[in-house]
């Protein structure tokens, strides 16, 4: 492959704001982290939001709508987000660009997202070292006590390889123990401080320095056309849109958390989400010639513990002077593993969102309000993007028409467990359907129709164990709302919105669908106690007027049978339908939202238990398996009786401001998605 250099651009650190650029040099085991250096050699830096507590992180990425090339950046931005979310190492990962003489913006943007998103440093010395020419390709290090970089490329005469003689230079590049091969895409199951090291005393016998995944180094190691995306340097006529093993290993090393040990409570995962054409996000993309001569990430960070830093904000700037090529082809589908089916209960991550009990509801008729207080059912169109699906999928993102409210979700405590995360956060469930005008590009004389949902099988894990479900069609969205029994509450702030799919359990054998003659069948004894603002009143006394489950932790709660899976709701990015010419919509503009959590909600059909079926339920409620129950039904709330709760949906949704509730429908359980595959 012939490589052509671009013009170089040098940046430097300024206070706590680290500027890291993709500049000209020749092409670049785990890599290095920004903010590491002579003052702190062992720094491990983390994405926005990490503070030492484990769990899922969501990092939003957006494009400044006033930027040059804003529309051209949309697809490649979505592509680099998919690439980072997949964390799939590849070799080769360097290909020839289809536009001769151009620089591939997507490749450069992937590099800058490595800086601003994962807090990666360059794997090579790069321009910030002050070295010139090919000497910038030596592995990332400090210049030692003599304050001068030592540049001896060893016997093989390959810069950046394992036999470089670096004298008193101090290595900053994390390498794999026993290997020191940064180009190999086959990675160990465990990546943490027990399998990777920075100190060169841990190098394999005969190696003198940590190797970096430079293009020439990788070729010499047998991995042709391969290079870490975090090697500083870009070339015309080529594209580098996939991660090397070194890039993935560095990300996973950071994900081992504060204790740097994989599999402990402080581990985290990262999901990057595209927030659209806006500046209201964690990482903003913009063309600004005043900020850079080529490309740069400007990242602010905070030191929250010892050697650990986390990014607080980031901006990725580009210069219009380059001959940029903007990829217009969406990336391939998200890489997901085959669903795992096992009858053995799995350790479940701790939920970070509440359980919800869903009540069938409709807007109260209010003649004093526009449209009698009802939701407008015509042309309220929105763009919804499921964060669990690839933007390369034909049905995601897509435009949907919001029809009318169908249910009210109330936060609930399950089995007298942890208190509510947010007692004020409720949801209104709106029926939706595919819009007449889809999200595809305008082709005269009209927009294409919206794509129907592609059936998929989802592997999930929640407090009841593993389960596989098949989604059939899109049926609803959940919009954050406030509720008050006395007066109209203020609208809630930004919270996660969800798209809901009609779903049912598959016949795979899982914890919740145990083996029944070679096929999985949904459990008949799945029961749980729930308490919420309605149930605590409805279930305080049974139908005989006696206290419910007296003397137990669940006194006054309802015991519900969870009879079947009905719906899967997953987090979404919500945006205006947009487009030129404008698509039809009556929805207000500028009400975009991004998720604040990555957990999904799996909703089960419920009814009051008439008999105790579960040994766990019996123990918790001070009753016995087989005992009959006479629980009280939900008391309807309505405007006519003066009991209709006041509601205020968020995101400028105009209605309903009061709802009549009818009956208990579903219980929605926080759930973690482990895999998504097309349905057979």
């Amino acid at each position: 492959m012939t490589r052509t250099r671009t013009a170089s651009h040098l940046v430097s650190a300024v206070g706590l704001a680290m500027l890291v650029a993709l500049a000209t040099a020749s092409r670049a085991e785990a890599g290095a982290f920004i903010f590491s250096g002579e003052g702190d050699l062992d720094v491990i830096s983390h994405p926005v939001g990490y503070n030492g507590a484990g769990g899922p992180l969501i990092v939003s990425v957006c494009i400044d709508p006033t930027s040059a090339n804003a529309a051209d950046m949309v697809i490649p931005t979505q592509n680099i987000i998919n690439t980072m979310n997949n964390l799939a190492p590849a070799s080769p990962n360097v290909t020839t660009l289809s536009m001769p003489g151009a620089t591939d913006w997507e490749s450069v943007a992937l590099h800058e997202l490595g800086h601003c998103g994962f807090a990666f440093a360059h794997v090579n010395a790069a321009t910030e070292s002050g070295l010139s020419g090919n000497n910038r390709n030596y592995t990332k290090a400090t210049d030692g006590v003599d304050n001068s970089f030592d540049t001896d490329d060893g016997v093989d005469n390959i810069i950046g390889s394992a036999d470089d003689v670096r004298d008193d230079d101090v290595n900053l590049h994390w390498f794999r123990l026993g290997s020191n091969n940064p180009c190999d895409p086959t990675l160990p199951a465990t990546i943490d401080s027990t399998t990777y090291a920075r100190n060169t005393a841990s190098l394999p016998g005969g190696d003198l320095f940590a190797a970096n995944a430079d293009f020439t180094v990788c070729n010499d190691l047998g991995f042709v056309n391969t290079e870490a995306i975090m090697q500083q340097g870009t070339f015309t006529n080529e594209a580098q849109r996939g991660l090397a093993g070194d890039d993935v290993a560095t990300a996973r090393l950071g994900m081992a958390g504060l204790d740097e040990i994989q599999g402990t409570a402080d581990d985290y995962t990262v999901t990057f989400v595209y927030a659209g054409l806006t500046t209201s996000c964690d990482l903003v993309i913009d063309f600004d010639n005043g900020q850079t001569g080529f490309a740069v990430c400007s990242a602010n960070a905070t030191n929250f513990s010892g050697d650990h830093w986390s990014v607080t904000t980031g901006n990725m700037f580009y210069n219009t002077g380059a001959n940029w090529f903007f990829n217009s082809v969406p990336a391939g589908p998200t890489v997901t593993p085959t669903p795992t089916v096992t009858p053995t209960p799995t350790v479940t991550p701790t939920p970070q969102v509440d359980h919800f009990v869903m009540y069938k509801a409709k807007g109260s008729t209010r003649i004093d309000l526009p449209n009698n207080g009802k939701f407008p059912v015509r042309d309220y169109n929105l763009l919804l993007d499921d964060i669990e699906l690839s933007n390369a999928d034909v049905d995601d993102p897509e435009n949907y028409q919001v029809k009318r409210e169908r249910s009210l979700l109330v936060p609930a405590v399950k089995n007298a467990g942890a208190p509510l995360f947010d007692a004020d956060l409720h949801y209104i469930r709106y029926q939706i359907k595919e819009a007449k005008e889809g999200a595809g590009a305008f082709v005269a004389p009209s927009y294409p129709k919206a794509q129907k949902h592609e059936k998929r099988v989802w592997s999930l894990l929640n407090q009841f164990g593993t389960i596989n479900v098949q989604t059939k069609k899109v049926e609803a969205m959940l919009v954050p709302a406030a509720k008050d029994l006395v007066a109209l509450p203020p609208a809630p702030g930004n919270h996660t919105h969800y798209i809901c799919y009609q779903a049912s359990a598959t016949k795979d054998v899982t914890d919740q669908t145990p083996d029944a003659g070679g096929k999985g069948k949904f459990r008949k004894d799945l029961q749980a106690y729930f308490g919420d603002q309605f149930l605590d009143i409805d279930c305080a006394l049974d139908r005989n007027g006696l206290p419910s489950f007296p003397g137990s932790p669940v006194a006054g709660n309802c015991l519900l049978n969870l009879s079947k899976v009905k719906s899967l709701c997953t987090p979404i990015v919500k945006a205006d339908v947009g487009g030129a010419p404008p698509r039809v919509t009556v929805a207000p503009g500028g009400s975009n939202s991004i998720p604040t959590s990555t957990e999904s909600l799996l909703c089960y059909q419920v009814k009051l238990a008439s008999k105790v079926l579960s040994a766990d339920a019996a123990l918790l409620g001070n009753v016995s398996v087989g005992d009959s129950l006479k629980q009280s039904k939900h008391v309807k709330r309505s405007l006519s009786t003066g009991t209709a709760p006041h509601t205020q949906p968020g995101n400028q949704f105009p209605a309903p401001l009061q709802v009549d509730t009818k009956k208990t429908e579903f219980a929605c359980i926080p759930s973690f998605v482990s895999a998504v595959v097309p349905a057979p």
Side-chain angles (χ1 to χ4, degrees):
M1 175 177 287
T2 302
R3 315 186 93 192
T4 306
R5 298 181 182 277
T6 61
S8 64
H9 172 59
L10 175 65
V11 293
S12 59
V14 183
L16 285 181
M18 176 70 80
L19 301 180
V20 277
L22 184 62
T24 297
S26 73
R27 283 286 182 189
E29 181 120 324
F33 295 91
I34 57 175
F35 306 106
S36 62
E38 287 186 347
D40 197 340
L41 301 171
D42 294 312
V43 160
I44 293 183
S45 300
H46 305 276
V48 171
Y50 184 66
N51 58 10
L57 298 178
I58 292 181
V59 180
S60 56
V61 182
C62 61
I63 298 169
D64 188 331
T66 66
S67 172
N69 303 309
D72 292 329
M73 291 189 286
V74 171
I75 287 177
T77 296
Q78 294 172 339
N79 287 350
I80 65 172
I81 287 172
N82 287 334
T83 299
M84 287 301 195
N85 287 341
N86 289 343
L87 286 181
S91 176
N93 70 332
V94 181
T95 61
T96 302
L97 190 64
S98 60
M99 180 178 170
T103 300
D104 185 48
W105 187 86
E106 183 173 319
S107 302
V108 177
L110 185 63
H111 175 101
E112 299 305 335
L113 185 57
H115 285 313
C116 277
F118 272 117
F120 295 159
H122 294 125
V123 299
N124 58 324
T127 50
E128 59 263 29
S129 67
L131 295 171
S132 60
N134 288 335
N135 284 341
R136 294 172 179 171
N137 295 329
Y138 281 99
T139 299
K140 191 77 169 179
T142 72
D143 56 10
V145 295
D146 64 3
N147 294 320
S148 177
F149 284 106
D150 298 293
T151 54
D152 182 338
D153 58 12
V155 175
D156 64 6
N157 298 127
I158 297 175
I159 293 173
S161 67
D163 75 340
D164 288 354
V165 181
R166 300 293 299 272
D167 195 21
D168 68 342
D169 292 356
V170 182
N171 176 51
L172 294 175
H173 189 278
W174 290 74
F175 56 89
R176 183 175 175 178
L177 294 174
S179 170
N180 192 23
N181 182 343
C183 308
D184 191 345
T186 304
L187 300 176
T190 298
I191 296 181
D192 59 16
S193 59
T194 68
T195 57
Y196 282 74
R198 182 204 55 78
N199 194 318
T200 52
S202 299
L203 284 168
D207 286 7
L208 302 180
F209 212 76
N212 74 75
D214 172 82
F215 189 86
T216 305
V217 172
C218 289
N219 273 348
D220 185 62
L221 291 172
F223 297 93
V224 298
N225 294 333
T226 300
E227 184 171 77
I229 64 160
M230 297 316 299
Q231 172 84 3
Q232 188 196 53
T234 191
F235 292 79
T236 58
N237 303 323
E238 73 178 35
Q240 189 178 5
R241 299 173 184 167
L243 305 179
D246 185 71
D247 305 309
V248 176
T250 309
R252 289 179 53 193
L253 177 63
M255 289 173 166
L258 193 60
D259 63 4
E260 300 171 20
I261 300 296
Q262 182 177 312
T264 56
D266 65 355
D267 293 5
Y268 62 88
T269 59
V270 186
T271 300
F272 293 96
V273 297
Y274 176 58
L277 297 174
T278 178
T279 56
S280 298
C281 69
D282 298 314
L283 308 176
V284 183
I285 297 173
D286 186 18
F287 269 82
D288 187 338
N289 294 355
Q291 296 288 337
T292 179
F294 183 59
V296 67
C297 157
S298 174
N300 291 278
T302 183
N303 175 220
F304 65 89
S305 179
D307 297 322
H308 290 263
W309 293 68
S310 64
V311 175
T312 53
T313 59
N315 291 274
M316 292 166 278
F317 297 110
Y318 303 88
N319 190 287
T320 58
N323 181 23
W324 294 108
F325 171 79
F326 294 96
N327 183 21
S328 60
V329 180
T334 300
V335 175
T336 52
T338 302
T340 300
V341 235
T342 172
T344 305
T346 308
V347 176
T348 309
T350 302
Q352 301 297 313
V353 298
D354 286 315
H355 298 76
F356 291 89
V357 173
M358 186 186 302
Y359 296 86
K360 187 174 183 179
K362 66 176 183 178
S364 304
T365 301
R366 291 272 303 269
I367 60 174
D368 59 318
L369 295 175
N371 201 33
N372 288 335
K374 306 293 185 180
F375 190 83
V377 296
R378 292 180 61 84
D379 298 330
Y380 201 99
N381 297 322
L382 299 168
L383 176 65
L384 306 183
D385 183 0
D386 187 335
I387 69 168
E388 295 290 351
L389 302 180
S390 168
N391 285 340
D393 292 348
V394 296
D395 58 344
D396 184 80
E398 191 51 277
N399 293 337
Y400 293 92
Q401 181 185 356
V402 185
K403 297 294 289 181
R404 63 173 73 248
E405 71 284 345
R406 293 296 188 186
S407 310
L408 174 67
L409 281 74
V410 180
V413 173
K414 180 174 75 70
N415 289 340
L420 297 175
F421 288 101
D422 190 344
D424 296 326
L425 178 60
H426 296 60
Y427 280 91
I428 294 177
R429 181 175 180 265
Y430 294 86
Q431 176 189 357
I432 64 173
K433 70 173 186 178
E434 289 82 3
K436 294 178 181 178
E437 296 179 335
F442 182 80
V443 180
S446 63
Y447 284 103
K449 292 182 178 180
Q451 293 284 338
K452 297 286 187 182
H453 174 66
E454 298 283 330
K455 294 180 180 179
R456 295 176 174 87
V457 174
W458 306 63
S459 293
L460 303 165
L461 175 66
N462 60 32
Q463 292 176 346
F464 297 124
T466 56
I467 188 171
N468 292 346
V469 303
Q470 179 171 320
T471 53
K472 300 174 182 178
K473 66 177 183 179
V474 174
E475 60 179 4
M477 71 176 295
L478 304 183
V479 176
K483 176 183 70 67
D484 192 280
L485 299 180
V486 178
L488 185 67
N494 182 56
H495 293 282
T496 302
H497 292 59
Y498 297 86
I499 189 169
C500 298
Y501 306 100
Q502 185 184 97
S504 60
T506 70
K507 294 182 179 180
D508 298 318
V509 176
T510 69
D511 296 339
Q512 298 182 50
T513 52
D515 193 350
K519 294 182 178 180
K521 189 173 182 179
F522 194 78
R523 289 173 52 185
K524 293 183 178 297
D525 63 343
L526 199 59
Q527 295 182 313
Y529 294 93
F530 291 89
D532 65 31
Q533 195 173 24
F534 293 153
L535 294 178
D536 290 347
I537 298 172
D538 297 340
C539 294
L541 302 175
D542 65 17
R543 297 201 306 272
N544 292 330
L546 299 176
S548 299
F549 311 105
S552 75
V554 292
N557 284 184
C558 285
L559 180 62
L560 301 180
N561 289 336
L562 287 73
S563 59
K564 64 177 69 174
V565 170
K566 295 293 288 184
S567 185
L568 173 64
C569 302
T570 55
I572 53 172
V573 176
K574 184 179 75 64
D576 301 335
V577 291
R583 290 178 174 86
V584 173
T585 184
V586 297
S591 59
N592 297 358
S593 72
I594 59 175
T596 56
S597 66
T598 58
E599 292 165 68
S600 297
L601 295 172
L602 187 61
C603 299
Y604 300 76
Q605 182 176 300
V606 295
K607 64 178 180 179
L608 290 172
S610 59
K611 183 180 289 188
V612 180
L613 303 175
S614 162
D616 291 338
L619 180 65
L620 191 57
N622 288 342
V623 290
S624 300
V625 173
D627 282 358
S628 295
L629 303 173
K630 293 186 177 181
Q631 301 187 91
S632 299
K633 293 182 179 181
H634 172 64
V635 177
K636 296 179 181 179
R637 273 71 172 177
S638 67
L639 187 66
S640 61
T641 61
T643 57
H646 298 266
T647 55
Q648 180 74 274
N651 264 175
Q652 304 180 45
F653 271 58
L657 300 185
Q658 272 188 289
V659 296
D660 296 348
T661 65
K662 296 183 178 181
K663 64 177 183 179
T664 308
E665 282 189 302
F666 304 144
C668 297
I669 310 299
S671 302
F672 298 86
V673 177
S674 60
V676 188
V677 296

